[in-house]
Amino acid sequence: MSQKTKYTLVTTIFIAVLVIDQIIKVNVKTGMYLGQRIEITSWFSLVFVENNGMAFGWELLGGKLFLTLFRIIAVGGIGWFICNQIKRRKPIGYIVCLTLIAAGAAGNIVDCLFYGLIFNNPPYPQLAEFQPWGYGYGEFLYGKVVDMFYFPLIEWDMPQWFPLYSGQHCVFFSPIFNFADAAISCGIIALLLFYHKQVSQITIGR
């Protein structure tokens, strides 16, 4: 595969992930009230939540501004690295994995950059609406990331005799995430499973 074809593929994947992610988020943001749950099956639901943290709603020390700036720098760095790997004729599957990670991170960056400027944040059970630019619920760089996919694959209650978690209701898998998070996770998992040689070369600086 030529370098030009690889660049075209990378660009297409990046844009596709970004567009799909934003279409889903905007529809959830304007079509569901915050905290609403729509059960699709017993093991899959749409749950509208917002967060300031990393993938799957995990929080990061350093605050919202640090997190947003870190994401921007990370995506820029990954983009530069992808171009470098294309020039070095690395496997296309490896390049695609990196692109999924970059695109997913970029998808969440869009929320952080603009959602606070263009959406309001109405009380329950009202739906969010688009606002004139700059009249939303937050400032530039301080938007909240929209999550919606929830897969409670297995649920059980711990026995009463179990230490610390006696009688507690447990769920696997409990994080709520979005399409961008899924792209990041798929990219990372595929890298570790199929391109561990290339990953190891990165860690030792080759």
Side-chain angles (χ1 to χ4, degrees):
M1 183 178 292
S2 67
Q3 287 191 20
K4 182 178 180 180
T5 303
K6 288 182 179 180
Y7 279 117
T8 300
L9 180 61
V10 163
T11 302
T12 301
I13 292 174
F14 187 92
I15 294 175
V17 170
L18 202 61
V19 169
I20 293 171
D21 179 61
Q22 289 304 309
I23 288 174
I24 295 172
K25 287 175 177 176
V26 170
N27 277 279
V28 168
K29 181 75 175 173
T30 58
M32 298 175 64
Y33 57 80
L34 190 62
Q36 182 178 358
R37 175 174 178 173
I38 300 175
E39 187 170 305
I40 309 300
T41 70
S42 60
W43 48 267
F44 170 50
S45 298
L46 294 178
V47 182
F48 175 24
V49 299
E50 294 180 312
N51 74 84
N52 292 316
M54 298 289 283
F56 303 106
W58 295 330
E59 296 294 329
L60 180 72
L61 296 177
K64 177 67 177 179
L65 180 60
F66 172 81
L67 174 59
T68 303
L69 294 176
F70 172 80
R71 281 175 169 154
I72 294 172
I73 294 171
V75 169
I78 297 172
W80 172 86
F81 185 74
I82 289 172
C83 293
N84 176 269
Q85 297 300 287
I86 291 176
K87 292 177 181 177
R88 297 179 63 180
R89 302 183 182 280
K90 295 294 184 177
I92 186 59
Y94 171 66
I95 301 299
V96 168
C97 291
L98 295 174
T99 303
L100 288 174
I101 296 170
N108 286 330
I109 287 174
V110 172
D111 301 30
C112 298
L113 294 181
F114 304 119
Y115 276 26
L117 299 174
I118 63 175
F119 287 113
N120 64 350
N121 192 21
Y124 168 87
Q126 299 179 41
L127 304 181
E129 297 178 340
F130 283 103
Q131 302 297 303
W133 185 267
Y135 286 86
Y137 65 80
E139 301 177 356
F140 181 63
L141 296 176
Y142 284 87
K144 295 181 179 180
V145 177
V146 174
D147 292 326
M148 74 294 296
F149 297 133
Y150 178 50
F151 287 86
L153 300 177
I154 303 174
E155 298 188 50
W156 72 96
D157 293 319
M158 298 298 292
Q160 296 295 329
W161 52 262
F162 197 87
L164 300 179
Y165 299 98
S166 174
Q168 182 172 319
H169 183 71
C170 300
V171 178
F172 178 88
F173 172 80
S174 62
I176 301 172
F177 60 98
N178 56 45
F179 189 79
D181 296 333
I184 294 171
S185 298
C186 288
I188 292 175
I189 292 171
L191 277 179
L192 296 177
L193 289 178
F194 305 112
Y195 299 100
H196 49 84
K197 180 179 179 180
Q198 283 77 12
V199 174
S200 64
Q201 289 176 348
I202 295 172
T203 58
I204 61 177
R206 294 178 58 186

